[in-house]
Amino acid sequence: MASISKTQNFITKNRITIIAILAFVVAICCILAFASNKSEDSVVFSEAESSVGTEVSKEVLSEGYGVYIDEHFVAAVESEELANEVLENVLDARVTSLGIASETVCGFNNDIELVNGKYSSESFVDSEKLLQLLGKKNVFGVSDKITDYNGKILPVKLAVRSEVTYTELVTLEYETKTVYTDALRDGVTKVIFKGYNGEGEETYRLISIDGVVSEREVLSVNVIVEPANEVIRKGTSSNGIDVASLGTFIRPYDGVITSYVGPRWGRTHNGIDIAGDRCKGKPAVAACDGVVVRADWYGGYGNCVIIDHGDGVQTLYAHLSAFSVQVGDVLEAGDEVGKIGSTGNSTGPHLHFEVHVDGEIVNPLIFVDYED
C-alpha cells in the first residue's frame, strides 16, 4: 500500500511532465505513419507513370499519306502514287459496274484528300488492302461502302460524278408583244406581224451522279435563224379613233424627191425616192408613231424597215446601210429607224419611202408634205 501511495504522489507532482511526454510520443507516431503512407503513394504513382510511359514507347509512328474520304480517315499508305493508282482502279471498276460509257469524263463526287504526315504503323496498308477498304472486292465486284483499316464501316459512300457534252438543234420560240392603241375599239385585237420560231444549235453538258442525271448545264447557243416576235395591237378606244390620219406624217428624211410614184423604166415605182447632198449614213426616221414589224434584208429593197401605224397603215423605208431598230420596237414619230444607204437595187444613196393602206400602195405625198 505504501508503494502505491508513493506512485500516486509521484504522478500527482509530475503529471504535467508525463502528459507532455505522452503528447510528444503520439506526435512522433503520427509523423512516422504519414511518411510511410506518402512513400507508398509515391511508389504507386511511379509504377503507374512507368506503365504509361511503356505503352507510349511501344507505338511507332511513320511518315506517309493518310487517305481521307469526306474528312473520314481510311488508312495510311507509303506514297501518294500508290493511293492515286488505287483510287483510279476503284473508279474504273465503279464506272464499269454502273454501265457508264468509257468516253465519258468521270471522277469521284466525294472530297478525297491525301494528307502527308506521321501515322501509326497499324494504320498503314498496301495497295491490295486499300482496294478492299475502298470497296473493290474482285475483278467484277465493287461496293460503294468504305471501311477503315480497323474494319469499321464509315458513314460515307463513294459516288461517281460523270459529265458528257452534247450538241443538238433546238427551236428558238418567238415572243408575243402587245401594243395598246386607241386606233381600235376596246377589247379588239389585231395581229399586225405574225411571229415565227427560229432555230439554233445548243451545246449542253449533262452531269450525272452514279449514272442518274442530276444537272443540265447549257454551255452555248449558236443562233442559225433568229425568231421573229409576234406583234399584236389591242384596242383601248370606245370609238376607234384613227392614229394615222391623212396629212399627219413627218418627213422620213428632209431631202429632195428625185423619183415619184408611177411608171418608171417600164414598170411602176411604188414609192418616192428622197436624196440629199452627202446623204449616205444620215438618219432615216419614223414618219409616224408605230411598231416595227420588219427589219431585215428584203429582196430589191435591200436593208428594209416596215412600221405598222394602226388602222391598216404601214410605211416602208428601203436601201438602208444600217438598222437602228428591230422587230417589236415601239417608235414615236421622229425616232431613227436606220441609216440612208444604197443596198439592194439602187443606183446611189437615197431613201426609198412607201405607204401602204390595207395592203395597197398609195402615194406617200397624201400623208407627208414635201412642197416646201
Side-chain angles (χ1 to χ4, degrees):
M1 293 294 293
S3 61
I4 293 174
S5 177
K6 288 180 180 180
T7 300
Q8 290 177 341
N9 290 336
F10 176 80
I11 292 172
T12 300
K13 291 180 180 179
N14 299 284
R15 66 175 179 272
I16 296 175
T17 303
I18 292 172
I19 291 171
I21 293 172
L22 289 174
F24 176 75
V25 171
V26 170
I28 292 298
C29 291
C30 290
I31 291 171
L32 292 175
F34 177 76
S36 175
N37 288 337
K38 184 171 181 60
S39 176
E40 290 177 2
D41 290 343
S42 298
V43 171
V44 172
F45 176 76
S46 297
E47 289 177 353
E49 185 178 41
S50 175
S51 175
V52 172
T54 301
E55 290 182 8
V56 172
S57 64
K58 289 180 180 179
E59 185 177 19
V60 178
L61 299 178
S62 300
E63 187 169 352
Y65 288 85
V67 180
Y68 291 83
I69 309 292
D70 294 336
E71 300 184 353
H72 291 275
F73 179 67
V74 178
V77 293
E78 293 181 352
S79 69
E80 193 173 11
E81 291 75 13
L82 184 151
N84 284 324
E85 184 179 343
V86 169
L87 287 167
E88 285 293 331
N89 193 317
V90 173
L91 177 62
D92 291 342
R94 291 277 292 140
V95 169
T96 301
S97 69
L98 291 168
I100 300 173
S102 58
E103 65 272 13
T104 305
V105 178
C106 296
F108 286 117
N109 195 50
N110 306 77
D111 180 19
I112 299 177
E113 292 183 285
L114 303 178
V115 182
N116 180 240
K118 291 187 178 296
Y119 299 90
S120 167
S121 58
E122 295 178 356
S123 66
F124 277 80
V125 296
D126 58 16
S127 59
E128 286 300 320
K129 181 63 176 177
L130 185 58
L131 280 169
Q132 295 175 13
L133 297 181
L134 295 180
K136 182 76 178 291
K137 304 303 180 184
N138 49 52
V139 177
F140 304 102
V142 63
S143 170
D144 58 2
K145 293 182 180 179
I146 303 172
T147 307
D148 70 6
Y149 71 96
N150 279 323
K152 177 184 176 182
I153 297 177
L154 299 177
V156 292
K157 291 184 178 181
L158 280 176
V160 176
R161 184 180 191 273
S162 57
E163 298 181 5
V164 61
T165 301
Y166 295 99
T167 298
E168 63 181 20
L169 292 177
V170 294
T171 298
L172 305 178
E173 296 185 354
Y174 68 84
E175 297 180 357
T176 299
K177 294 188 176 183
T178 301
V179 179
Y180 294 91
T181 175
D182 59 2
L184 298 174
R185 290 185 178 276
D186 187 22
V188 175
T189 60
K190 181 179 179 182
V191 177
I192 60 174
F193 184 81
K194 181 64 178 176
Y196 55 84
N197 292 329
E199 186 178 56
E201 190 177 63
E202 182 179 83
T203 301
Y204 61 92
R205 177 189 295 129
L206 288 182
I207 299 175
S208 302
I209 305 299
D210 284 346
V212 178
V213 176
S214 63
E215 184 180 347
R216 185 180 188 277
E217 179 185 2
V218 177
L219 301 178
S220 64
V221 177
N222 178 33
V223 178
I224 300 173
V225 177
E226 287 278 2
N229 293 333
E230 184 163 293
V231 181
I232 297 175
R233 281 189 180 274
K234 188 170 184 179
T236 59
S237 173
S238 60
N239 57 7
I241 299 174
D242 293 344
V243 296
S245 51
L246 300 179
T248 60
F249 283 11
I250 67 171
R251 295 178 180 181
Y253 173 63
D254 192 11
V256 176
I257 298 177
T258 59
S259 184
Y260 293 85
V261 174
R264 190 181 70 168
W265 303 334
R267 58 183 181 178
T268 301
H269 187 238
N270 293 331
I272 59 175
D273 291 342
I274 312 163
D277 185 34
R278 298 180 181 178
C279 63
K280 184 176 181 179
K282 291 185 178 180
V285 302
C288 185
D289 297 354
V291 181
V292 178
V293 295
R294 182 166 196 147
D296 60 4
W297 184 273
Y298 190 14
Y301 289 114
N303 290 330
C304 177
V305 170
I306 298 178
I307 301 175
D308 185 274
H309 305 283
D311 198 36
V313 179
Q314 292 185 335
T315 53
L316 178 149
Y317 310 76
H319 306 310
L320 301 172
S321 62
F323 297 106
S324 302
V325 295
Q326 59 185 1
V327 173
D329 285 352
V330 178
L331 305 179
E332 294 182 357
D335 287 345
E336 184 176 313
V337 299
K339 305 293 186 183
I340 293 176
S342 186
T343 58
N345 296 335
S346 171
T347 57
H350 69 281
L351 174 66
H352 178 81
F353 178 66
E354 294 182 8
V355 176
H356 300 187
V357 176
D358 293 330
E360 299 293 329
I361 298 294
V362 298
N363 191 338
L365 297 179
I366 297 174
F367 289 82
V368 61
D369 183 10
Y370 266 97
E371 292 185 358
D372 295 343

